Coordinates of all heavy atoms in Angstrom, one line a residue:
L687 N 179.5 77.9 192.1 CA 180.9 78.4 192.2 C 181.4 78.4 193.6 O 180.7 78.8 194.6 CB 181.0 79.8 191.6 CG 182.4 80.5 191.7 CD1 183.4 79.7 191.0 CD2 182.3 81.9 191.3
W689 N 184.7 79.4 196.0 CA 186.0 80.0 196.2 C 186.5 79.7 197.7 O 185.8 80.0 198.7 CB 185.7 81.6 196.2 CG 187.1 82.3 196.4 CD1 188.3 81.8 196.5 CD2 187.2 83.8 196.6 NE1 189.3 82.8 196.7 CE2 188.6 84.0 196.8 CE3 186.3 84.8 196.6 CZ2 189.1 85.3 197.0 CZ3 186.7 86.1 196.9 CH2 188.1 86.4 197.1
S776 N 189.6 93.0 199.2 CA 188.8 93.9 198.5 C 187.8 93.1 197.6 O 186.6 93.6 197.6 CB 189.7 94.6 197.5 OG 189.0 95.5 196.7
V777 N 188.2 92.1 197.0 CA 187.1 91.2 196.2 C 186.1 90.6 197.2 O 184.9 90.5 196.8 CB 187.8 90.2 195.4 CG1 186.8 89.4 194.6 CG2 188.8 90.9 194.4
K778 N 186.6 90.2 198.3 CA 185.6 89.6 199.3 C 184.6 90.6 199.7 O 183.3 90.3 199.8 CB 186.3 89.1 200.5 CG 187.1 87.7 200.4 CD 187.6 87.4 201.7 CE 188.5 86.1 201.6 NZ 189.2 85.7 202.8
S779 N 185.0 91.9 199.9 CA 184.1 92.9 200.3 C 183.1 93.2 199.2 O 181.9 93.4 199.5 CB 184.9 94.2 200.6 OG 185.7 94.0 201.8
R780 N 183.5 93.2 198.0 CA 182.7 93.4 196.8 C 181.6 92.3 196.7 O 180.5 92.6 196.5 CB 183.4 93.5 195.6 CG 184.2 94.7 195.3 CD 184.9 94.6 193.9 NE 185.8 95.8 193.7 CZ 186.4 95.9 192.5 NH1 186.4 95.0 191.6 NH2 187.1 96.9 192.3
I781 N 182.1 91.1 197.0 CA 181.1 89.9 196.8 C 180.1 90.0 198.0 O 178.9 89.7 197.7 CB 181.9 88.6 196.8 CG1 182.7 88.4 195.6 CG2 180.9 87.4 197.0 CD1 183.6 87.3 195.6
R782 N 180.5 90.3 199.2 CA 179.6 90.5 200.2 C 178.5 91.5 200.0 O 177.3 91.4 200.4 CB 180.2 90.8 201.6 CG 181.1 89.7 202.1 CD 181.7 89.9 203.5 NE 182.5 88.8 203.9 CZ 183.9 88.8 204.0 NH1 184.5 89.9 203.6 NH2 184.5 87.8 204.4
A783 N 178.9 92.6 199.2 CA 178.0 93.7 198.9 C 177.1 93.3 197.8 O 175.9 93.7 197.7 CB 178.7 94.9 198.6
N784 N 177.6 92.5 196.8 CA 176.9 92.1 195.5 C 177.5 90.9 195.0 O 178.7 90.8 194.7 CB 177.0 93.3 194.5 CG 176.1 93.1 193.3 OD1 175.7 91.9 193.1 ND2 175.8 94.1 192.6
T785 N 176.7 89.8 194.8 CA 177.2 88.5 194.4 C 177.4 88.4 193.0 O 177.7 87.4 192.4 CB 176.3 87.4 194.8 OG1 175.0 87.6 194.3 CG2 176.2 87.3 196.4
F786 N 177.3 89.6 192.2 CA 177.4 89.6 190.8 C 178.7 89.0 190.2 O 178.8 88.3 189.2 CB 177.3 91.0 190.2 CG 177.5 91.2 188.8 CD1 176.6 90.8 187.8 CD2 178.7 91.7 188.2 CE1 176.7 90.8 186.5 CE2 178.9 91.8 186.9 CZ 177.9 91.4 186.1
Q787 N 179.8 89.2 191.0 CA 181.1 88.7 190.6 C 181.1 87.2 190.5 O 181.8 86.6 189.7 CB 182.2 89.2 191.6 CG 182.7 90.6 191.3 CD 181.9 91.6 192.1 OE1 180.9 91.3 192.7 NE2 182.2 92.9 191.9
C788 N 180.4 86.6 191.4 CA 180.3 85.1 191.4 C 179.4 84.5 190.3 O 179.7 83.4 189.8 CB 179.9 84.6 192.8 SG 181.1 84.9 194.1
E789 N 178.4 85.3 190.0 CA 177.4 84.8 189.1 C 178.0 84.7 187.6 O 177.4 83.9 186.8 CB 176.2 85.7 189.0 CG 175.4 85.6 190.4 CD 174.4 86.8 190.5 OE1 174.2 87.5 189.5 OE2 173.8 86.9 191.6
R790 N 179.1 85.3 187.4 CA 179.6 85.3 186.0 C 180.6 84.2 185.8 O 181.2 84.0 184.7 CB 180.3 86.7 185.6 CG 179.2 87.8 185.6 CD 179.8 89.0 185.0 NE 180.0 88.8 183.6 CZ 180.3 89.8 182.7 NH1 180.3 91.1 183.2 NH2 180.5 89.6 181.5
G791 N 180.9 83.4 186.9 CA 181.8 82.2 186.8 C 183.2 82.4 187.4 O 183.6 83.5 187.8
A792 N 183.8 81.3 187.4 CA 185.2 81.2 188.1 C 186.2 82.1 187.4 O 187.0 82.7 188.0 CB 185.6 79.8 188.3
D793 N 186.2 82.0 186.0 CA 187.1 82.9 185.3 C 187.0 84.4 185.5 O 188.0 85.1 185.5 CB 187.1 82.5 183.8 CG 185.7 82.6 183.2 OD1 184.8 82.8 183.9 OD2 185.6 82.3 182.0
Y794 N 185.7 84.8 185.7 CA 185.5 86.2 186.0 C 185.9 86.5 187.4 O 186.5 87.7 187.6 CB 184.0 86.5 185.8 CG 183.8 88.1 185.9 CD1 184.0 88.9 184.8 CD2 183.3 88.6 187.1 CE1 183.8 90.3 185.0 CE2 183.0 90.0 187.2 CZ 183.3 90.8 186.1 OH 183.0 92.1 186.3
L795 N 185.7 85.6 188.3 CA 186.2 85.9 189.7 C 187.7 86.0 189.7 O 188.2 86.9 190.4 CB 185.7 84.7 190.6 CG 186.2 84.8 192.1 CD1 185.8 86.1 192.8 CD2 185.7 83.6 192.8
L796 N 188.4 85.2 189.0 CA 189.9 85.2 188.9 C 190.3 86.6 188.3 O 191.2 87.2 188.9 CB 190.4 84.1 188.0 CG 191.9 84.2 187.7 CD1 192.8 84.1 189.0 CD2 192.3 83.1 186.8
H797 N 189.5 87.0 187.3 CA 189.9 88.3 186.7 C 189.8 89.4 187.8 O 190.6 90.3 187.9 CB 188.9 88.6 185.6 CG 188.6 90.1 185.4 ND1 187.5 90.7 186.0 CD2 189.4 91.1 184.9 CE1 187.5 92.0 185.8 NE2 188.6 92.3 185.1
Q798 N 188.7 89.3 188.6 CA 188.5 90.3 189.7 C 189.7 90.4 190.7 O 190.2 91.5 191.0 CB 187.2 90.0 190.5 CG 186.0 90.3 189.7 CD 185.7 91.8 189.6 OE1 185.6 92.5 190.5 NE2 185.6 92.3 188.3
I799 N 190.2 89.2 191.0 CA 191.3 89.2 191.9 C 192.6 89.7 191.3 O 193.3 90.5 191.9 CB 191.6 87.7 192.4 CG1 190.4 87.2 193.1 CG2 192.9 87.5 193.2 CD1 190.4 85.7 193.4
D801 N 192.8 91.8 188.8 CA 192.6 93.2 188.5 C 192.9 94.1 189.8 O 193.6 95.1 189.7 CB 191.1 93.5 188.0 CG 190.8 94.9 187.7 OD1 191.7 95.5 186.9 OD2 189.8 95.5 188.1
D874 N 184.0 85.3 176.4 CA 183.3 86.5 176.8 C 184.0 87.2 178.0 O 183.8 88.4 178.2 CB 181.9 86.1 177.3 CG 181.9 85.1 178.4 OD1 182.8 84.2 178.4 OD2 181.0 85.2 179.3
V875 N 185.0 86.5 178.6 CA 185.7 87.1 179.7 C 187.1 87.7 179.3 O 187.7 88.5 179.9 CB 185.9 86.1 180.9 CG1 186.6 86.7 182.1 CG2 184.5 85.6 181.4
F878 N 188.1 91.4 179.6 CA 188.4 91.8 181.0 C 189.9 91.5 181.3 O 190.5 92.3 181.9 CB 187.5 91.1 182.0 CG 186.1 91.5 181.8 CD1 185.2 90.7 181.2 CD2 185.6 92.8 182.3 CE1 183.8 91.0 181.1 CE2 184.3 93.1 182.1 CZ 183.4 92.2 181.5

Side-chain angles (χ1 to χ4, degrees):
L687 171 62
W689 178 13
S776 175
V777 176
K778 282 182 183 177
S779 295
R780 286 183 182 180
I781 290 173
R782 290 187 182 109
N784 187 340
T785 59
F786 174 73
Q787 280 86 358
C788 290
E789 292 166 8
R790 297 193 67 167
D793 51 357
Y794 187 79
L795 176 57
L796 172 62
H797 149 264
Q798 289 286 303
I799 295 168
D801 186 46
D874 58 324
V875 181
F878 296 102

